[in-house]
Amino acid sequence: MTNEVSSCTKKSRGRPKVFDREAALDKAMTLFWQHGYEATSLSDLVEATGAKAPTLYAEFTNKEGLFRAVLDRYIARFANKHEALLHCEDKPIKDALFDYFSAVAKCFTSTETPAGCFMINTSATLAASSQAIAKTIKSRHAQQEETLHRFLSQRQQGGEIPAGVDIAALSQFLGCILQGMSISAREGASFDKLLQITHTTLRLWPDLIKP
Amino acid sequence: MTNEVSSCTKKSRGRPKVFDREAALDKAMTLFWQHGYEATSLSDLVEATGAKAPTLYAEFTNKEGLFRAVLDRYIARFANKHEALLHCEDKPIKDALFDYFSAVAKCFTSTETPAGCFMINTSATLAASSQAIAKTIKSRHAQQEETLHRFLSQRQQGGEIPAGVDIAALSQFLGCILQGMSISAREGASFDKLLQITHTTLRLWPDLIKP
């Protein structure tokens, strides 16, 4: 990885322009998140980041390289923080799940970023030529489900979920609800609506963990 | 609308080629469903349908016109048939929901069509320039949720759901699960996995309809 902020001076009057890598990645992230990988062109990215095309090429090689850097930044800024909420071992399982679901719901409906999940939005429709990108997003998204699965397994070992419960099926069901929340947010559902879905899910918890 | 099969003869040896509108729409549907609106180019569509570009232009005006015709065909071939399963008034509510969810699950995982929901896939990420398409898909997708809402309201009036139950919240929850099933299918979940999610949802039914 390059430095957090690399510089690229430009011959012009006044202060030389400095390329702010993080700020450029955040702007590129917004575009990819909103419009997906294919529908975001390099000229859109140049316009949004305020960087020149040669600067973007020098920094990220091509659109795919820029996207990969954006994905890393999304994971650091959002996904890792959400998943960390499942790692509080002293929190009762329902509280940990509530915190995780509501952080995800907040992210999906925040007005500071486009609606829905970055990974679901960008992987939904890719051209046949973007197989490598599709594979990367899919594998990172699968990691998220594995984290949920691991969390539930640990809680089962700790006795919070009865021994006979099928943890794979349970995490698939919860994952399905999280994915549905992304689409709902994309179609205009508010944070409160997603919170209601979270409350309904947790209200069903005693039945969900019946062996 | 034009006729089911309109013809376009071509000067060449042997039999003149006939433009089969329905077959062309089905081929275009597969492309849009798999790759989305933006990532499907007119040259992809020409190649897949086997039609010449002027034929496609004559028939559908432009890519947007072709997409709208494909959406109509998707609704006729799939969405309407799934929704019809909710209109069997003599069927107990859980049976009707099971039939609906499993028909949707079958469609999302069928090997004859791309994975997931046509409308969710194509609306996930659109360029800023495709607002009209975005609006059309969103409004048709909202109709699907309204159908579910109306079905639940009717069943509540008929006494199958207690009077105090919030039907809007219930249909939002069920809609969320259906949307999640689309994403799960897209990420590789089998029909059996989606059926398991359906069974879990219906197992929770007595608690879901507690006022």
Side-chain angles (χ1 to χ4, degrees), chain A residues 32-36 38-39 120-128 138 141 145 166 169 172-173 176-177 179-181 183-184 186-189 193 196-197 200-201 203-204 207-208 210, chain B residues 32-36 38-39 120-128 138 141 145 166 169 172-173 176-177 179-181 183-184 186-189 193 196-197 200-201 203-204 207-208 210:
Chain A
F32 283 127
W33 200 328
Q34 182 67 37
H35 305 302
E38 311 293 347
I120 290 177
N121 289 6
T122 52
S123 73
T125 51
L126 285 159
K138 203 169 162 176
H141 201 221
E145 294 218 2
D166 179 347
Q172 186 116 28
F173 186 77
C176 178
I177 289 173
Q179 291 172 333
M181 280 165 54
I183 303 300
S184 298
R186 188 82 193 172
E187 301 202 338
K193 291 271 182 216
Q196 195 171 37
I197 290 169
T200 301
T201 308
R203 181 164 63 76
L204 302 170
D207 267 354
L208 263 173
K210 256 185 201 151
Chain B
F32 282 127
W33 199 330
Q34 181 68 36
H35 304 302
E38 311 293 346
I120 291 177
N121 288 6
T122 52
S123 73
T125 52
L126 286 159
K138 203 169 162 176
H141 201 221
E145 295 219 2
D166 179 348
Q172 186 117 27
F173 186 76
C176 178
I177 290 172
Q179 291 172 333
M181 280 165 53
I183 304 299
S184 299
R186 189 81 192 174
E187 301 201 340
K193 291 271 182 215
Q196 194 171 37
I197 290 169
T200 301
T201 307
R203 182 164 62 77
L204 302 169
D207 267 354
L208 263 173
K210 255 187 202 148

Side-chain angles (χ1 to χ4, degrees), chain B residues 4-142:
Chain B
E4 289 281 289
V5 175
S6 55
S7 64
C8 157
T9 52
K10 196 188 154 212
K11 278 187 196 162
S12 67
R13 290 195 185 191
R15 291 175 104 190
K17 275 198 186 169
V18 172
F19 177 63
D20 183 342
R21 197 176 191 273
E22 308 272 283
L25 286 176
D26 285 341
K27 280 171 183 162
M29 190 190 296
T30 301
L31 276 193
F32 282 127
W33 199 330
Q34 181 68 36
H35 304 302
Y37 183 72
E38 311 293 346
T40 303
S41 69
L42 204 76
S43 69
D44 295 334
L45 291 162
V46 165
E47 195 187 324
T49 58
K52 296 272 175 200
T55 310
L56 291 183
Y57 282 118
E59 195 72 29
F60 307 107
T61 314
N62 53 24
K63 186 170 116 174
E64 186 176 326
L66 173 54
F67 181 81
R68 289 182 187 279
V70 163
L71 180 59
D72 286 341
R73 183 149 172 85
Y74 170 78
I75 288 163
R77 273 190 63 193
F78 299 100
N80 285 351
K81 286 184 188 160
H82 302 157
E83 290 173 16
L85 294 167
L86 293 176
H87 299 315
C88 303
E89 281 169 34
D90 52 341
K91 226 188 270 173
I93 185 166
K94 279 179 73 176
D95 292 356
L97 281 172
F98 178 78
D99 290 349
Y100 179 60
F101 270 63
S102 29
V104 168
K106 190 132 223 146
C107 175
F108 287 177
T109 55
S110 164
T111 53
E112 283 163 34
T113 51
C117 168
F118 174 83
M119 288 190 276
I120 291 177
N121 288 6
T122 52
S123 73
T125 52
L126 286 159
S129 55
S130 307
Q131 284 306 311
I133 286 287
K135 214 174 146 189
T136 304
I137 307 173
K138 203 169 162 176
S139 107
R140 184 55 190 75
H141 201 221

Side-chain angles (χ1 to χ4, degrees), chain B residues 158-180:
Chain B
E160 283 181 288
I161 298 174
V165 171
D166 179 348
I167 293 298
L170 181 57
S171 56
Q172 186 117 27
F173 186 76
L174 295 179
C176 178
I177 290 172
L178 287 165
Q179 291 172 333

Side-chain angles (χ1 to χ4, degrees), chain A residues 24-30 32-33 45 60 64-76 118:
Chain A
L25 286 176
D26 284 340
K27 281 171 182 161
M29 191 192 294
T30 301
F32 283 127
W33 200 328
L45 291 161
F60 308 107
E64 186 175 326
L66 174 52
F67 181 82
R68 289 182 187 278
V70 163
L71 180 60
D72 285 342
R73 182 147 172 87
Y74 170 80
I75 287 163
F118 174 83

Side-chain angles (χ1 to χ4, degrees), chain A:
Chain A
M1 291 291 273
T2 57
N3 290 331
E4 289 281 287
V5 176
S6 55
S7 64
C8 157
T9 52
K10 195 188 155 210
K11 275 184 196 164
S12 68
R13 289 194 188 194
R15 290 175 106 193
K17 277 198 182 168
V18 172
F19 177 64
D20 182 343
R21 195 175 193 272
E22 307 271 283
L25 286 176
D26 284 340
K27 281 171 182 161
M29 191 192 294
T30 301
L31 276 193
F32 283 127
W33 200 328
Q34 182 67 37
H35 305 302
Y37 182 73
E38 311 293 347
T40 303
S41 69
L42 204 76
S43 70
D44 296 332
L45 291 161
V46 164
E47 195 188 325
T49 57
K52 297 272 175 200
T55 310
L56 291 183
Y57 281 118
E59 197 71 28
F60 308 107
T61 313
N62 51 25
K63 185 170 117 173
E64 186 175 326
L66 174 52
F67 181 82
R68 289 182 187 278
V70 163
L71 180 60
D72 285 342
R73 182 147 172 87
Y74 170 80
I75 287 163
R77 273 190 63 193
F78 299 100
N80 285 351
K81 285 182 188 161
H82 301 158
E83 290 174 15
L85 295 166
L86 292 176
H87 300 316
C88 303
E89 279 168 36
D90 51 343
K91 225 188 272 175
I93 185 166
K94 279 180 73 175
D95 293 356
L97 281 173
F98 178 79
D99 290 348
Y100 178 60
F101 270 63
S102 30
V104 168
K106 189 131 224 147
C107 176
F108 287 176
T109 56
S110 164
T111 53
E112 283 164 35
T113 50
C117 168
F118 174 83
M119 287 190 277
I120 290 177
N121 289 6
T122 52
S123 73
T125 51
L126 285 159
S129 54
S130 305
Q131 284 304 311
I133 285 287
K135 214 174 147 190
T136 303
I137 307 173
K138 203 169 162 176
S139 107
R140 185 53 190 76
H141 201 221
Q143 272 180 45
Q144 207 161 289
E145 294 218 2
E146 283 154 25
T147 302
L148 191 57
H149 188 283
R150 211 162 39 240
F151 164 77
L152 294 170
S153 291
Q154 282 162 355
R155 296 304 180 118
Q156 187 176 44
Q157 279 156 28
E160 283 181 286
I161 297 173
V165 172
D166 179 347
I167 293 298
L170 181 58
S171 56
Q172 186 116 28
F173 186 77
L174 295 178
C176 178
I177 289 173
L178 288 165
Q179 291 172 333
M181 280 165 54
S182 170
I183 303 300
S184 298
R186 188 82 193 172
E187 301 202 338
S190 64
F191 174 65
D192 284 349
K193 291 271 182 216
L194 299 195
L195 211 55
Q196 195 171 37
I197 290 169
T198 301
H199 283 302
T200 301
T201 308
L202 292 175
R203 181 164 63 76
L204 302 170
W205 190 249
D207 267 354
L208 263 173
I209 58 165
K210 256 185 201 151

